[in-house]
Amino acid sequence: MERVLSGIKPTGQLTLGNYIGALKNFPKFQDQGETFLFIADLHALTLPIDPEVLRSNSRDLAAFYLAAGLDPKKCTIFRQSAVSAHAELNAILQNFLYMGELSRMTQFKEKSQKLNENAIGLGLFAYPVLMASDILLYDANVVPVGDDQTQHVEITRDLVNRFNNRFGPVLTMPKAVVTKVGARIMSLSEPTKKMSKSDPKGDIYLKDDLKVIRKKIMSAVTDSEARVAYDPENKPGVSNLLQIYAALKDISIPEAEKLFEGSNYGTFKGAVADVVCDVLGNLQQKYQAFIASGEVERVLEEGAKKAREVANNTLHRVQHAVGLL
Ligand code: ATP
Ligand code: LTN
């Protein structure tokens, strides 16, 4: 049976990029296989974060998991830090990824560049080891992620080959699954840059007021050609809006292009704003209801119990393979 695992860091307000590239795709997996979705709170510590902010982001993220349609009866939702096996496997696996390959990770290069050279935490450098531990603890063969995380899944695959060559078939080979449309939503104000929760320029936040969302879309950067067509290199702004529209309507990009043939940018942006407000308005209502229900903590606690059982099993297998048991 398929084992599915993914996570999101509670580092800031969730964006439309997080929704389209990750969150929106999670619920369909819970009907296909055994699915584990977690809040990557240990990963959130790899850049400075206020404790209160971390706590409230974590609760928010759990409520958004539920609002997006994840059902705790069909999948396991938990906090990474509540399952100590993540840190324990991390301590073993850090010996099987090498400094050269870790220093080539795009995320490390981008995030460390923004820091003072003397204040780059080891956790930021070693991020892929913890991420590999997350994936391997659950014997996940399917890892749904946005485009930017595929490199981390690839390095996990290298680790599995290295480890299994030495110790036998202990670890399960994972595979990244990237959504066909919307794997990389770009900033609305700088459409050549990824929309990212730690870089607020041109972001749409899931919790934004709908009027604000509409305004942001209506003022998104486009070009002077006045032709709706998908051409990310020459028309990054329009292509990004087409991608958002197609992803939220569950249609292909050529289908979306066809719908707007001959439309001016005002009409096109209005239609994009309509679908974004429709989807996010609905999501916000559900999110509010889950926050008000007080159910979130209970879901996380029950999820952690189920996750611990699976994770501890794998941890023992690895401890045995390397000679710790
Ligand atoms: P940060 O800015 O803190 O690095 P982020 O916004 O990149 O955060 P993550 O927690 O790293 O978000 O990512 C959560 C999930 O959302 C991952 O699967 C990631 O690939 C996906 N994702 C993030 N940004 C986008 C985007 N712009 N388009 C599509 N998917 C995205
Ligand atoms: N690095 C991911 C979050 C993450 C993750 C994982 C995703 C941590 N561990 C394991 C999939 C599988 C990110 O969103 N930046």
Side-chain angles (χ1 to χ4, degrees), residues 7-9 11 17-18 21-22 111 144-149 182-185 194-198:
I8 297 182
K9 285 173 292 177
T11 39
N18 298 133
K111 302 233 175 215
V145 281
D147 186 48
D148 62 319
Q149 293 301 314
R184 197 174 184 80
I185 300 296
K194 184 189 109 163
M195 187 183 282
S196 144
K197 53 179 140 59
S198 59

Side-chain angles (χ1 to χ4, degrees), residues 95-285:
N95 302 300
F96 297 90
L97 283 179
Y98 303 144
M99 295 181 48
E101 58 195 353
L102 290 172
S103 63
R104 286 193 291 275
M105 292 291 107
T106 308
Q107 178 177 294
F108 173 69
K109 286 196 262 182
E110 284 179 3
K111 302 233 175 215
S112 59
Q113 235 171 36
K114 294 182 191 155
L115 298 170
N116 177 321
E117 212 182 313
N118 300 317
I120 300 171
L122 180 57
L124 187 63
F125 186 66
Y127 189 109
V129 183
L130 183 58
M131 181 154 163
S133 307
D134 302 336
I135 296 170
L136 299 172
L137 273 178
Y138 300 89
D139 288 318
N141 33 33
V142 173
V143 183
V145 281
D147 186 48
D148 62 319
Q149 293 301 314
T150 52
Q151 202 181 28
H152 292 155
V153 181
E154 279 307 311
I155 204 175
T156 304
R157 291 169 60 85
D158 294 342
L159 188 158
V160 169
N161 278 328
R162 201 170 286 161
F163 191 98
N164 286 356
N165 274 338
R166 178 143 171 225
F167 300 105
V170 177
L171 300 174
T172 303
M173 186 62 82
K175 190 165 170 279
V177 173
V178 179
T179 174
K180 277 204 197 86
V181 182
R184 197 174 184 80
I185 300 296
M186 311 307 270
S187 151
L188 295 185
S189 58
E190 278 179 72
T192 50
K193 282 174 65 182
K194 184 189 109 163
M195 187 183 282
S196 144
K197 53 179 140 59
S198 59
D199 188 6
K201 265 182 278 153
D203 274 12
I204 289 182
Y205 294 112
L206 301 188
K207 281 165 102 179
D208 271 346
D209 185 272
L210 298 185
K211 283 202 199 91
V212 173
I213 293 179
R214 185 168 292 277
K215 214 165 158 192
K216 285 183 178 175
I217 293 174
M218 295 313 287
S219 52
V221 167
T222 48
D223 52 61
S224 54
E225 208 189 17
R227 184 174 61 93
V228 180
Y230 189 72
D231 177 356
E233 211 163 289
N234 300 307
K235 298 167 75 65
V238 170
S239 303
N240 190 37
L241 292 172
L242 268 172
Q243 204 183 182
I244 292 172
Y245 185 90
L248 294 180
K249 285 278 193 191
D250 277 321
I251 59 174
S252 69
I253 293 195
E255 281 170 325
E257 256 179 324
K258 215 159 177 208
L259 283 175
F260 296 106
E261 241 170 27
S263 298
N264 63 33
Y265 283 172
T267 313
F268 169 53
K269 284 177 169 178
V272 177
D274 285 346
V275 65
V276 174
C277 288
D278 188 34
V279 171
L280 295 192
N282 203 325
L283 191 72
Q284 288 175 0
Q285 272 181 8

